[in-house]
Amino acid sequence: MLSRKCASLATRAAARGPGGRPFVRVGGAVACARRVHQQPAAGPRPQHVGILAMDVYFPQRCVSQKDLEVADGVSEGKYRIGLGQERMAFVGDREDVNSIAMSAVYNLLSKYRIDAEQIGRLEVGTETLIDKSKSTKTHIMELLGANSNVEGVTCINACYGGTAALLNSVAWIESSAWDGRYAVVVCGDIAVYAAGPARPTGGAGAVAMLIGPDAPLPLSHERHSHAEHCWDFYKPEMHSEYPAVDGHLSNTIYLRSVDVCYNHFLGKTTPDGSVRTFDYMCFHSPYNKLVVKSVGRLLYNDYVRSPDGCAPELSKALGQWHPDSVAPSTTYADRGLDTALKKLSADVYNAKCAPSAALSKEIGNSYTGALWMNLVSLVHNVRSALEGKRVFMFSYGSGSVATAFAIYPRAPSAAQNPAFTCQAIAETIDLQNRLSSRAEMSPAEFTAALLLRETTHGAAPYVPIEPVETVTPGAFYIHEINSAHHRVYVQRPIADEADDSVSATS
């Protein structure tokens, strides 16, 4: 329900409503004036189904990895070079996974002027659970007002949930059940770790995507998945946000999944292919150093598939790891091979992967959102020149599930919304300005914010104590949690709209 207090999506000024139409109250909720929806006429299956539009949300506070190195008393470069990270986004007690997901979806619907009635499916990927039953999807429904005919739930499997939500939504549009409306996928998390060596690999953020046919970022029909049982990363303690992590095992399972998915995906699409088959690459990125290793691993797999027929520089550099003498399954912790691959893959990484890695290096790990943050970064950096290229995508979630697939950016038809192009997406997200407007906090402030989350996790009733000003203007935040654990979210007003506001109670 909605109650008048601070600020919420649903009743911003009428000109800000999705689709640009006035908001009206319906059954205690706020929605855009209803339009009659009609089932699409029978015809050929929708083509080029994929991502029509994207937007992101990341917190306005961040901490420098350089400053953390000093504060933690570690060697210079341990986090910036050893992990490959520059900064890390973080939140305190004012934001949770529901609020960051709502903020991302609000950005998507308002900026692209999407009417709530045009949404037929809303699916969420997250592993940041604050309730064992009620899904984040149901909280986001507050943003859709009177439109309750919306399929989809929340998908959970570590960092893979966002990809599962996207694949489910694409399958819905390609199926006979599709009713002609858009799907919205939102994936994001708040990644926090106990004090120690894993803490610098945290982060926070969410990506919201509009899914439909005739998309500028359509997904390939071919893909390959790999799932296995392992205990590399899991969250058995419901009273804590912190995971149990076996870092070495997690890296091994991740790289093994890269091997399996890459080789089988090439086998299905381009049996004689290699890293040269793809113009760009996006990987799930717990931290950038693992992405660098993954690119090297692709080159190693190209060599293993054809050690005597691959590029001469590979044969020369990797000869001592010939698969006839060294089993590939034994090489995941081989530092000599890792060093050789890093040198061999440097140019490939810089040309094909670096354009997608910039955002995650700035905000850290957003778990389910990480792969899609990297796609946002790629679109931002390459823009319309991305059309006609081939983008390799690798998604991974611990436990574990992984999938390799491709995105084939294109120019949509003339009949498509002009906002749905790679160039328009980049301009709409306005990534560089948003990153540069963040507030860089001290390591002490970062540590205090995480300690506050730790000591108040699960508390009810609870009223957050951090100032509302720590939240990005226009974003949602927790106003209070009552004794029944009901969370009340409000939207921080943008300065020129501060007098036109209500709050969402969930």
Side-chain angles (χ1 to χ4, degrees):
M1 63 181 177
L2 299 175
S3 59
R4 184 154 302 271
K5 277 205 193 286
C6 267
S8 156
L9 154 80
T11 56
R12 299 293 289 273
R16 296 290 295 233
R21 298 185 299 121
F23 287 115
V24 295
R25 288 191 175 274
V26 183
V30 177
C32 289
R34 182 179 293 274
R35 70 168 56 156
V36 177
H37 175 73
Q38 296 181 339
Q39 192 80 7
R45 293 176 60 183
Q47 299 296 306
H48 305 296
V49 177
I51 301 166
L52 294 166
M54 308 176 78
D55 211 285
V56 300
Y57 174 75
F58 46 82
Q60 70 171 359
R61 291 186 294 174
C62 64
V63 62
S64 163
Q65 295 284 5
K66 180 179 181 179
D67 290 346
L68 279 180
E69 291 169 354
V70 175
D72 291 349
V74 301
S75 59
E76 183 178 357
K78 184 174 180 63
Y79 303 155
R80 287 170 295 146
I81 300 173
L83 297 176
Q85 298 297 119
E86 293 296 331
R87 293 173 184 81
M88 176 170 42
F90 69 92
V91 298
D93 67 346
R94 279 290 177 186
E95 296 180 84
D96 63 12
V97 67
N98 296 335
S99 69
I100 69 170
M102 292 169 73
S103 297
V105 172
Y106 172 76
N107 288 343
L108 180 77
L109 298 185
S110 60
K111 291 182 181 180
Y112 293 92
R113 303 179 69 80
I114 305 300
D115 192 308
E117 291 291 331
Q118 294 176 280
I119 307 303
R121 187 179 188 92
L122 171 61
E123 196 135 3
V124 179
T126 188
E127 64 169 271
T128 309
L129 303 184
I130 54 178
D131 192 287
K132 292 183 286 186
S133 177
K134 182 173 173 62
S135 74
T136 294
K137 180 263 180 74
T138 60
H139 289 275
I140 302 173
M141 286 301 298
E142 290 275 13
L143 306 189
L144 301 189
N147 178 19
S148 62
N149 180 22
V150 181
E151 296 187 10
V153 289
T154 297
C155 299
I156 303 167
N157 189 95
C159 301
Y160 187 82
T163 296
L166 178 63
L167 296 180
N168 289 345
S169 297
V170 169
W172 174 67
I173 291 173
E174 292 180 336
S175 76
S176 61
W178 184 50
D179 63 5
R181 293 183 291 169
Y182 298 128
V184 168
V185 172
V186 58
C187 39
D189 284 284
I190 298 168
V192 289
Y193 296 85
R199 177 161 280 188
T201 64
V207 180
M209 298 174 277
L210 190 72
I211 311 303
D214 193 13
L217 297 166
L219 273 67
S220 62
H221 290 292
E222 304 84 9
R223 57 180 182 260
H224 188 85
S225 294
H226 173 73
E228 61 177 288
H229 168 61
C230 60
W231 294 100
D232 62 328
F233 175 108
Y234 53 105
K235 296 179 178 178
E237 302 290 347
M238 295 306 296
H239 65 273
S240 171
E241 288 190 291
Y242 300 145
V245 184
D246 183 333
H248 292 296
L249 177 61
S250 189
N251 287 347
T252 295
I253 301 298
Y254 179 103
L255 294 174
R256 183 161 72 209
S257 299
V258 168
D259 289 356
V260 173
C261 291
Y262 173 66
N263 285 319
H264 283 276
F265 180 70
L266 278 183
K268 293 177 179 180
T269 57
T270 48
D272 58 347
S274 68
V275 292
R276 292 188 295 272
T277 301
F278 304 100
D279 300 288
Y280 295 101
M281 302 171 182
C282 294
F283 290 86
H284 170 61
S285 52
Y287 54 94
N288 185 253
K289 186 68 171 291
L290 191 56
V291 174
V292 173
K293 288 176 178 286
S294 298
V295 175
R297 201 73 195 179
L298 300 193
L299 285 173
Y300 172 69
N301 279 280
D302 289 346
Y303 169 71
V304 169
R305 284 196 311 276
S306 181
D308 300 318
C310 65
E313 62 270 20
L314 290 184
S315 296
K316 181 179 180 180
L318 301 178
Q320 69 183 89
W321 293 279
H322 194 288
D324 288 346
S325 57
V326 179
S329 61
T330 67
T331 62
Y332 296 111
D334 189 321
R335 292 192 176 185
L337 176 60
D338 186 55
T339 300
L341 290 175
K342 182 179 179 180
K343 183 177 180 180
L344 279 171
S345 64
D347 290 344
V348 175
Y349 172 84
N350 290 332
K352 298 176 183 288
C353 198
S356 71
L359 178 54
S360 285
K361 292 178 70 172
E362 284 289 332
I363 67 171
N365 191 2
S366 54
Y367 286 163
T368 57
L371 174 65
W372 307 103
M373 288 288 185
N374 295 337
L375 181 60
V376 166
S377 183
L378 179 64
V379 172
H380 165 76
N381 283 314
V382 184
R383 304 192 175 217
S384 61
L386 200 56
E387 294 171 3
K389 307 300 185 183
R390 303 184 70 180
V391 182
F392 176 77
M393 306 288 290
F394 175 75
S395 180
Y396 176 83
S398 291
S400 65
V401 182
T403 299
F405 56 101
I407 287 178
Y408 302 123
R410 57 185 287 274
S413 70
Q416 184 57 281
N417 187 326
F420 300 160
T421 67
C422 292
Q423 182 70 28
I425 292 171
E427 293 172 355
T428 300
I429 294 176
D430 192 24
L431 188 57
Q432 193 56 52
N433 283 333
R434 290 165 71 176
L435 286 171
S436 62
S437 66
R438 293 180 299 166
E440 190 168 298
M441 314 303 288
S442 70
E445 290 168 313
F446 163 72
T447 300
L450 265 61
L451 180 61
L452 179 61
R453 290 186 65 87
E454 179 181 331
T455 55
T456 61
H457 180 72
Y462 180 69
V463 177
I465 64 173
E466 284 198 317
V468 172
E469 288 72 25
T470 62
V471 178
T472 305
F476 289 84
Y477 64 91
I478 304 169
H479 178 68
E480 65 177 344
I481 304 170
N482 69 19
S483 59
H485 293 268
H486 298 173
R487 294 180 175 234
V488 179
Y489 298 96
V490 302
Q491 187 180 28
R492 183 184 173 190
I494 297 174
D496 60 359
E497 297 175 345
D499 294 330
D500 185 11
S501 59
V502 298
S503 71
T505 304
S506 297

